[in-house]
Amino acid sequence: SRLMDLPTCELQRLGEIADLVTSVRLSHVRKEKLALALKNEDYIPKLLQLFQVCENAKNTEGLHLLFDIVRGILYLDKAILFEVMFSDQCILGVVGCLEYDPCLAQPGWHREFLTKTAKLQEVIPIRDPELRQKIRQTSRAQYIQAIILPNPSDFEEGFLSTLDSFISSSKEEILHELQKDGEFLPEVFAQLANEATAGEQRCELMRFFKEFCAFCFTLPDKRDELLQTLAKLGILPTLEMLMGMDGVQVRSAATDILSYLVEFSPAMVQEFVMQEAHQSENDTPLIIEVIKQMICSPNPEFGGDNQLMEILCALIDPEKMLAIASNLEIFEFLDIFYDRYIHVLTAPLLADTSEEWYEIGTAIVTELSVHWQYIIYFFVQLKALIFLVDNYQTAEILASVLELLSFCVERHKYHMKIYIINKDLLRRTLVLMKSKHKFLALCALRFMRRIIGLKDELYNRYITLGNLFEPVVNAVLDNRNRCNLLKSALMELFEFIQMEDVQFLIAHIVENFSDALESVKYIHTFQGLKTKYEQEKDRQNEKLS
């Protein structure tokens, strides 16, 4: 069909051009016609020449109209125009027009950013000039996308989808060329593993490699090929080494990449972890590095505890291991995990939950001045008893540890039961019910709830023989006049015992704590437990009769 007629590219007709570009936005056919006309008449370079004239003459009105025109052309979302606008000849003119937004009091600095600040930094030298040019063009396209994209509420779904596709296809081309280069990725791994690599250079390499992996793993047809390549290059031993380094940025990027691998190829990571478990000469296996990062370096900038917990849960989940191992092999792996690794995970919990230390420390800190609290704090750190002052960072670490241990209670029933009873772990955990941080007290209670939820006779005997309901009942009494999440969780625990009719625990609670719970008789749950207890006692008496 006939192409659209364009106004002559002159200063006095900029208003007409702006109106034309704006008017076609709602018509798909007119957008197509306008895009073809702009391409065929080589119109964009002519507009950019007018931009130079307006800028030299400080023609503010013309510059504002050119901003609307260039942004409107970008909003046409046509690949044939992107090739022109993102070329070396046009790119600075395009971003120059975008500096003169009428809504801004002062022009932007896009050209200065692209020419002086945003320079292509080659962490590994790129030999192909066409590839280097493609990388530069893609980075500019991403920058323009960032500065022209309106607020999400201002545009419909799929807006600028062609620009998204243009950037994605360019990235695919770049990654394909990098993977074709047989020397590129091996050189990246060699420099990452080389102790002589400078810290800043290693950070740049990790930033690049993280972005490389993040994008490759979103491409299903490229993912398997990349995973095979990375496995051959020793990705997991390299990440293990990088996670043990001092640099926070390097460790953070290594954790992110490991998270991608766990998500997209869990079998590969689990197989590596299981092989390491059988190699006793490896002192710091990957699984230990993950635990250490979680309990020693809690830092919001570095991956985050949740990400590390997800990784660790995936690595020790027997159900996920079934894809690569038999039941016997999984059982043997768990034997090794509970023999060698779990003590690293529980170390902060066992160090910080000595009941007598907690009570003495709390009393001392209450009496001393702020200055002496400061001294006590460092004394406690040296003794690995940070919980003496109940600081927030320690509470977060312990909460993460308890979440993982609760996971183990459900997934490793046999091994975890032996470990809890041998270490008297539940008693140590319930010390945290006294914490001023309610989220930590909730985690401790949730750990006990998971154990009771199994309705295991050995666990129940362990709880009753150790009188482990005492701290729970004390928490009920402390919160009886409050309305909070901890009180609700406490009530739910007792309601579960009542509903499931766990007679062994019901008898223990009523016989040992009925007097203490008299003050909360308005809570029907405790009355229900007493009724259940009496009914069971009557049944037993009838049997004896």
Side-chain angles (χ1 to χ4, degrees):
S1 61
R2 191 171 63 85
L3 293 179
M4 185 174 290
D5 293 327
L6 298 176
T8 310
C9 197
E10 299 172 348
L11 278 177
Q12 60 269 27
R13 305 196 70 178
L14 284 176
E16 289 179 52
I17 300 169
D19 290 341
L20 174 63
V21 172
T22 306
S23 68
V24 304
R25 187 170 173 184
L26 299 178
S27 170
H28 179 72
V29 173
R30 297 193 71 212
K31 283 167 69 174
E32 290 283 353
K33 286 186 175 184
L34 178 58
L36 286 170
L38 291 169
K39 171 72 173 174
N40 291 344
E41 295 187 27
D42 204 20
Y43 206 79
I44 293 171
K46 296 175 186 176
L47 286 169
L48 298 180
Q49 287 174 6
L50 289 181
F51 167 70
Q52 293 297 333
V53 173
C54 288
E55 191 169 47
N56 291 336
K58 297 184 178 178
N59 181 348
T60 304
E61 183 183 357
L63 291 170
H64 287 168
L65 287 170
L66 281 162
F67 169 85
D68 291 332
I69 292 167
V70 169
R71 187 178 64 170
I73 293 172
L74 287 165
Y75 282 178
L76 294 176
D77 200 29
K78 300 301 174 186
I80 58 172
L81 301 181
F82 293 150
E83 291 289 351
V84 177
M85 300 179 86
F86 299 151
S87 66
D88 283 348
Q89 294 75 24
C90 295
I91 184 66
L92 291 180
V94 169
V95 295
C97 291
L98 295 174
E99 289 177 0
Y100 291 93
D101 186 344
C103 298
L104 299 178
Q106 295 293 329
W109 298 88
H110 303 317
R111 283 172 291 179
E112 183 173 344
F113 177 81
L114 285 179
T115 54
K116 295 180 181 177
T117 307
K119 293 186 176 180
L120 177 63
Q121 185 172 357
E122 299 181 33
V123 289
I124 301 292
I126 297 171
R127 302 169 186 83
D128 185 349
E130 290 185 8
L131 178 58
R132 191 184 293 110
Q133 173 59 24
K134 184 58 127 177
I135 293 171
R136 187 178 289 109
Q137 184 191 59
T138 306
S139 67
R140 289 167 173 175
Q142 286 181 290
Y143 180 76
I144 287 180
Q145 183 189 40
I147 62 175
I148 69 165
L149 201 62
N151 294 324
S153 59
D154 295 341
F155 60 91
E156 66 276 6
E157 187 177 350
F159 184 71
L160 293 181
S161 58
T162 305
L163 180 56
D164 288 335
S165 300
F166 178 86
I167 293 170
S168 294
S169 62
S170 297
K171 283 185 175 182
E172 285 189 49
E173 287 180 42
I174 293 166
L175 295 174
H176 178 67
E177 292 301 319
L178 290 176
Q179 284 184 273
K180 266 175 49 179
D181 186 344
E183 298 178 9
F184 185 80
L185 281 178
E187 180 64 21
V188 171
F189 274 79
Q191 289 202 27
L192 285 173
N194 189 347
E195 293 182 3
T197 302
E200 186 57 35
Q201 170 72 358
R202 184 175 277 111
C203 283
E204 291 295 336
L205 281 164
M206 286 302 291
R207 275 198 285 268
F208 158 76
F209 190 47
K210 173 186 166 182
E211 187 176 351
F212 177 84
C213 291
F215 187 73
C216 279
F217 288 147
T218 62
L219 306 173
D221 54 331
K222 306 282 185 185
R223 193 183 302 151
D224 291 341
E225 180 186 350
L226 174 65
L227 287 168
Q228 290 174 9
T229 304
L230 294 178
K232 289 176 184 175
L233 292 170
I235 176 70
L236 289 169
T238 303
L239 290 178
E240 184 180 303
M241 177 203 69
L242 293 168
M243 288 183 73
M245 290 190 166
D246 292 334
V248 172
Q249 291 182 333
V250 171
R251 294 203 312 268
S252 174
T255 302
D256 289 336
I257 295 167
L258 179 59
S259 180
Y260 302 150
L261 293 174
V262 167
E263 180 181 355
F264 294 109
S265 184
M268 180 178 82
V269 185
Q270 284 165 338
E271 188 173 5
F272 176 78
V273 167
M274 292 180 76
Q275 287 173 355
E276 276 199 323
H278 290 89
Q279 297 168 1
S280 56
E281 67 274 8
N282 192 341
D283 295 330
T284 54
L286 181 62
I287 202 164
I288 289 288
E289 288 296 346
V290 174
I291 295 172
K292 279 168 58 182
Q293 298 301 339
M294 194 184 77
I295 64 177
C296 299
S297 306
N299 190 325
E301 297 176 5
F302 162 52
D305 286 350
N306 289 337
Q307 184 187 32
L308 291 161
M309 277 203 297
E310 287 173 8
I311 292 172
L312 190 55
C313 287
L315 296 182
I316 62 175
D317 189 344
E319 292 181 8
K320 293 183 178 178
M321 291 181 194
L322 286 171
I324 58 155
S326 66
N327 285 319
L328 179 59
E329 289 171 326
I330 294 170
F331 196 87
E332 289 174 350
F333 168 75
L334 292 177
D335 277 345
I336 296 169
F337 176 77
Y338 280 87
D339 182 47
R340 290 192 218 153
Y341 303 155
I342 199 169
H343 68 276
V344 181
L345 178 62
T346 57
L349 181 64
L350 297 176
D352 294 336
T353 53
S354 171
E355 192 161 5
E356 58 272 20
W357 265 102
Y358 185 88
E359 290 174 355
I360 295 168
T362 302
I364 292 173
V365 171
T366 302
E367 294 296 326
L368 293 175
S369 66
V370 174
H371 175 71
W372 281 102
Q373 288 181 32
Y374 189 75
I375 295 171
I376 288 287
Y377 173 77
F378 283 100
F379 170 76
V380 169
Q381 270 197 322
L382 293 171
K383 294 291 186 180
L385 287 168
I386 307 174
F387 196 75
L388 179 64
V389 291
D390 207 0
N391 71 72
Y392 186 80
Q393 190 180 55
T394 306
E396 282 193 314
I397 294 172
L398 295 177
S400 298
V401 170
L402 285 173
E403 287 295 326
L404 275 165
L405 293 177
S406 298
F407 172 85
C408 293
V409 166
E410 289 189 334
R411 300 303 175 96
H412 309 158
K413 292 183 174 65
Y414 171 77
H415 291 85
M416 193 60 181
K417 188 194 306 181
I418 293 172
Y419 186 80
I420 287 173
I421 294 172
N422 284 345
K423 293 290 183 181
D424 200 9
L425 192 63
L426 182 56
R427 181 188 303 279
R428 306 295 290 272
T429 299
L430 291 174
V431 172
L432 302 176
M433 295 290 293
K434 301 174 183 177
S435 173
K436 68 181 181 184
H437 303 291
K438 296 304 176 189
F439 71 90
L440 182 55
L442 273 168
C443 286
L445 183 63
R446 193 153 52 235
F447 181 65
M448 185 176 189
R449 173 66 177 80
R450 291 282 176 89
I451 291 172
I452 290 174
L454 296 177
K455 296 186 284 187
D456 183 280
E457 185 179 347
L458 189 57
Y459 270 138
N460 291 343
R461 290 189 179 278
Y462 162 66
I463 290 168
T464 55
L465 288 172
N467 196 29
L468 299 184
F469 265 101
E470 184 177 2
V472 178
V473 171
N474 289 339
V476 170
L477 299 175
D478 291 340
N479 289 272
R480 60 188 151 189
N481 297 321
R482 298 173 188 169
C483 184
N484 56 30
L485 196 57
L486 180 59
K487 181 178 178 180
S488 299
L490 288 162
M491 292 305 99
E492 192 278 333
L493 173 65
F494 288 103
E495 283 168 10
F496 173 82
I497 294 169
Q498 179 189 345
M499 294 293 293
E500 295 296 322
D501 199 20
V502 187
Q503 281 297 327
F504 199 78
L505 296 181
I506 291 173
H508 173 74
I509 294 166
V510 173
E511 289 171 4
N512 291 275
F513 304 106
S514 58
D515 292 341
L517 294 172
E518 276 295 311
S519 61
V520 287
K521 63 168 67 175
Y522 60 89
I523 296 177
H524 300 305
T525 304
F526 299 121
Q527 291 299 109
L529 287 173
K530 199 167 184 180
T531 303
K532 287 260 186 186
Y533 172 75
E534 290 168 354
Q535 288 172 349
E536 180 62 22
K537 203 169 182 182
D538 290 342
R539 276 196 292 270
Q540 295 296 332
N541 288 335
E542 286 177 13
K543 284 184 181 179
L544 288 172
S545 300

